[in-house]
């Protein structure tokens, strides 16, 4: 015979001591079950917090990207207001170096707006101008090569005083990078203007009287602190401009900043070729509209290749030859060719043959920035990912 108390079975033949021991065991078991349940609840709570934290970080990143796009648009309409917005949004530090680097990278920025901001006479703007020029490396470049680089990074403003300040800063930077080429920064300043005027005279169809090399040489006699510059130097500068005019940025719809208006990211990267002989090539990449475009030169109007990011994943990889590498690939389809296209040397557009795209960034920081931007472009909305994860989790539980 047994007696039942609160659905617990107690044998009748147990001694009082045994009954007491059994009750102690059952009570301990109940306590352990309660502890287990509390642990489960705590784990569920922590898991929810972790998921919420990840979602919050995603939202913060998306909000930051939106604010950066807004800041660029504001800058293009009013440079000072745009810079103030980015500083107030903690996207830029209020330092000449940080702002100079932002303008130097120029991602999504109107080059006329960059020129207007750099040409302002405020002390802080002048500091930014010098910080901007410090990022230009002119060492071992002749004057025309340096001017090509400098004049492509912004568009010269129309005001004479702004041009004067900017060319004065350029001359100082060039002379620091190339000591001994000119007697003084004044020489560099005067000759730089002469080269710009020569470019206009030789390549503007409205100028009928084209200057000869002899006239250009004569015009620049005595500018080297009263002495003459080497005639060979002047001839080389003349020939360089005659053979190839300056590519001055035009904000008329032909510039890349308008063809690909407000891209998510742009910059120089190395790309591993997909042919039999694997070689690394430097390309100008633009990320916009869920596609990655790459160009041979920043001045090209048509991309050399287009990589749609739909159904692609990205991962960090180690490469024995290049640092800061990442890859674009198709998940679970290692040998499948990525749907992309490229332009051959003869102008034909053909399908790409990459099963993955391996890319190298100049620095670890830029690699992380590119990877984050591409991840955001691949999956614009994290809520869909969260939903898919939950559905997968529910499906796996149903199978248990």
């Amino acid at each position: 015979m047994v007696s039942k108390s609160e659905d617990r079975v107690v044998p009748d033949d147990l001694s009082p001591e045994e009954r007491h021991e059994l009750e102690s065991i059952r009570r301990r078991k109940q306590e352990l079950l309660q502890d287990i349940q509390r642990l489960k609840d705590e784990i569920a709570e922590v898991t929810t917090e972790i998921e919420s934290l990840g979602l919050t970080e995603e939202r913060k990143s998306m909000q930051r990207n939106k604010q950066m796009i807004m800041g660029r648009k504001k800058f293009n309409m009013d440079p000072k207001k745009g810079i103030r917005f980015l500083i107030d949004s903690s996207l830029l530090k209020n330092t000449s170096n940080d702002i100079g680097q932002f303008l130097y990278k120029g991602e999504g920025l109107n080059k006329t707006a960059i020129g207007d901001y750099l040409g302002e006479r405020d002390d802080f703007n002048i500091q930014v101008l010098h910080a901007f020029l410090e990022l230009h490396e002119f060492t071992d470049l002749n004057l025309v090569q340096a001017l090509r680089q400098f004049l492509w990074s912004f568009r010269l403003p129309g005001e004479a005083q702004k041009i004067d300040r900017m060319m004065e800063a350029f001359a100082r930077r060039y002379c620091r990078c190339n000591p001994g080429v000119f007697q003084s920064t004044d020489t560099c300043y005067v000759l730089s203007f002469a080269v710009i005027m020569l470019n206009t005279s030789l390549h503007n169809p409205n100028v009928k009287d084209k200057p000869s090399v002899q006239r250009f040489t004569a015009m620049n006699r005595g500018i080297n602190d009263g002495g003459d510059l080497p005639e060979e130097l002047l001839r080389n500068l003349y020939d360089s401009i005659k053979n190839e005019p300056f590519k001055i940025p035009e904000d008329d719809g032909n510039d890349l900043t308008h063809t690909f208006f407000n891209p998510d990211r742009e910059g120089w990267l190395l790309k591993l070729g997909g042919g039999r002989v694997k070689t690394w090539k430097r390309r100008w990449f633009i990320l916009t509209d869920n596609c990655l475009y790459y160009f041979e030169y920043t001045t090209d109007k048509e991309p050399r290749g287009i990589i749609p990011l739909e159904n692609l994943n990205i991962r960090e990889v180690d490469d024995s030859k290049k640092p800061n590498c990442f890859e674009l690939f198709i998940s679970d389809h290692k040998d499948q060719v990525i749907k992309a296209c490229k332009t051959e040397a003869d102008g034909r557009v053909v399908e790409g043959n990459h099963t993955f795209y391996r890319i190298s960034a100049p620095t670890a920081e830029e690699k992380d920035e590119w990877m984050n931007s591409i991840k955001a472009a691949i999956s614009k909305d994290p809520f869909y990912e969260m939903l898919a994860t939950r559905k997968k989790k529910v499906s796996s539980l149903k199978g248990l």
Side-chain angles (χ1 to χ4, degrees):
M1 291 288 295
V2 297
S3 63
K4 293 183 179 179
S5 176
E6 297 179 355
D7 295 329
R8 293 180 297 173
V9 179
V10 179
D12 291 336
D13 57 350
L14 293 180
S15 66
E17 291 81 4
E18 289 173 332
R19 285 171 178 261
H20 179 72
E21 183 67 25
L22 180 60
E23 287 296 324
S24 296
I25 291 171
R26 285 175 172 170
R27 190 166 50 251
R28 180 60 181 157
K29 177 184 177 183
Q30 193 63 31
E31 291 172 354
L32 288 172
L33 288 173
Q34 290 174 351
D35 287 342
I36 290 170
Q37 186 58 47
R38 275 197 299 272
L39 286 171
K40 285 182 176 179
D41 293 341
E42 288 177 8
I43 290 171
E45 186 177 346
V46 170
T47 301
T48 302
E49 288 179 0
I50 291 173
E51 289 179 352
S52 298
L53 181 63
L55 195 57
T56 300
E57 291 301 319
E58 291 267 13
R59 284 175 175 167
K60 284 182 180 178
S61 178
M62 290 176 69
Q63 182 63 24
R64 181 183 173 87
N65 289 338
K66 287 180 181 177
Q67 286 182 317
M68 180 59 79
I69 291 171
M70 180 65 71
R72 289 168 179 161
K73 287 182 178 179
K74 286 180 178 290
F75 178 88
N76 291 340
M77 291 185 287
D78 187 320
K80 285 193 174 181
K81 288 183 179 179
I83 293 294
R84 175 48 53 192
F85 174 85
L86 292 168
I87 291 170
D88 292 343
S89 302
S90 300
L91 296 171
L92 270 183
K93 295 177 184 176
N94 192 15
T95 66
S96 57
N97 286 338
D98 208 48
I99 296 172
Q101 189 170 49
F102 171 71
L103 300 180
Y104 179 76
K105 287 183 176 180
E107 295 176 11
L109 302 183
N110 179 291
K111 292 189 177 181
T112 297
I114 295 174
D116 285 339
Y117 185 87
L118 292 173
E120 291 290 340
R121 65 180 178 182
D122 294 348
D123 289 341
F124 184 74
N125 290 68
I126 293 173
Q127 290 173 19
V128 172
L129 172 60
H130 288 293
F132 177 83
L133 269 157
E134 286 297 320
L135 296 169
H136 284 273
E137 183 52 66
F138 299 140
T139 304
D140 295 330
L141 298 183
N142 69 36
L143 188 63
V144 169
Q145 291 171 327
L147 281 169
R148 289 190 197 283
Q149 182 187 135
F150 180 56
L151 296 175
W152 180 249
S153 59
F154 67 97
R155 182 167 171 78
L156 272 174
E159 297 178 37
Q161 290 182 339
K162 288 187 176 184
I163 296 173
D164 176 72
R165 281 190 290 272
M166 299 174 83
M167 296 309 298
E168 175 68 28
F170 165 80
R172 290 182 184 177
R173 174 62 178 163
Y174 183 84
C175 289
R176 279 200 304 273
C177 290
N178 299 278
V181 173
F182 301 114
Q183 292 289 336
S184 68
T185 57
D186 289 337
T187 303
C188 182
Y189 173 89
V190 172
L191 186 57
S192 296
F193 265 115
V195 168
I196 292 172
M197 291 168 63
L198 175 68
N199 181 81
T200 301
S201 299
L202 288 178
H203 299 288
N204 188 331
N206 295 324
V207 178
K208 303 303 180 184
D209 184 19
K210 306 295 184 185
S212 64
V213 65
Q214 290 80 11
R215 194 200 304 179
F216 177 71
T217 303
M219 287 169 54
N220 291 288
R221 286 198 180 116
I223 66 170
N224 197 22
D225 275 4
D228 290 342
L229 290 165
E231 187 171 335
E232 183 182 3
L233 168 67
L234 295 175
R235 283 182 174 273
N236 288 339
L237 297 179
Y238 180 93
D239 290 340
S240 180
I241 290 295
K242 183 179 180 181
N243 294 332
E244 183 183 357
F246 286 135
K247 290 185 172 73
I248 306 298
E250 295 288 347
D251 290 321
D252 59 359
N254 292 326
D255 189 57
L256 288 182
T257 55
H258 288 269
T259 305
F260 301 92
F261 187 68
N262 276 332
D264 298 324
R265 189 162 187 82
E266 59 184 355
W268 289 106
L269 296 169
L270 294 174
K271 184 183 77 70
L272 186 62
R276 292 181 180 178
V277 179
K278 305 292 185 184
T279 57
W280 291 90
K281 293 182 179 179
R282 189 169 183 255
R283 294 289 183 255
W284 178 258
F285 278 79
I286 290 182
L287 173 64
T288 187
D289 294 333
N290 290 67
C291 285
L292 198 58
Y293 301 82
Y294 58 91
F295 302 75
E296 190 169 1
Y297 304 104
T298 57
T299 52
D300 288 350
K301 291 181 174 58
E302 299 292 336
R304 288 296 301 272
I306 304 173
I307 309 169
L309 297 176
E310 187 179 359
N311 299 324
L312 296 187
N313 280 330
I314 187 170
R315 63 191 170 199
E316 185 175 353
V317 294
D318 291 325
D319 190 280
S320 60
K321 295 183 179 179
K322 297 293 178 184
N324 312 315
C325 288
F326 59 91
E327 279 183 354
L328 295 169
F329 67 102
I330 302 175
S331 296
D332 304 323
H333 296 83
K334 186 173 69 172
D335 297 322
Q336 184 175 335
V337 174
I338 294 173
K339 292 181 180 178
C341 64
K342 64 177 182 177
T343 305
E344 299 283 32
D346 58 5
R348 291 181 299 114
V349 177
V350 299
E351 290 186 0
N353 58 357
H354 287 263
T355 56
F356 65 89
Y357 283 87
R358 181 168 294 185
I359 296 169
S360 171
T363 66
E365 181 183 359
E366 288 183 65
K367 175 203 68 181
D368 291 339
E369 291 172 352
W370 271 103
M371 289 187 68
N372 289 335
S373 297
I374 292 172
K375 283 177 183 176
I378 290 173
S379 176
K380 289 288 186 184
D381 195 339
F383 297 102
Y384 288 108
E385 284 189 352
M386 184 184 72
L387 182 62
T389 302
R390 289 297 175 93
K391 284 183 177 179
K392 187 176 180 181
K393 185 178 180 182
V394 171
S395 298
S396 62
L397 289 174
K398 285 180 179 178
L400 294 177

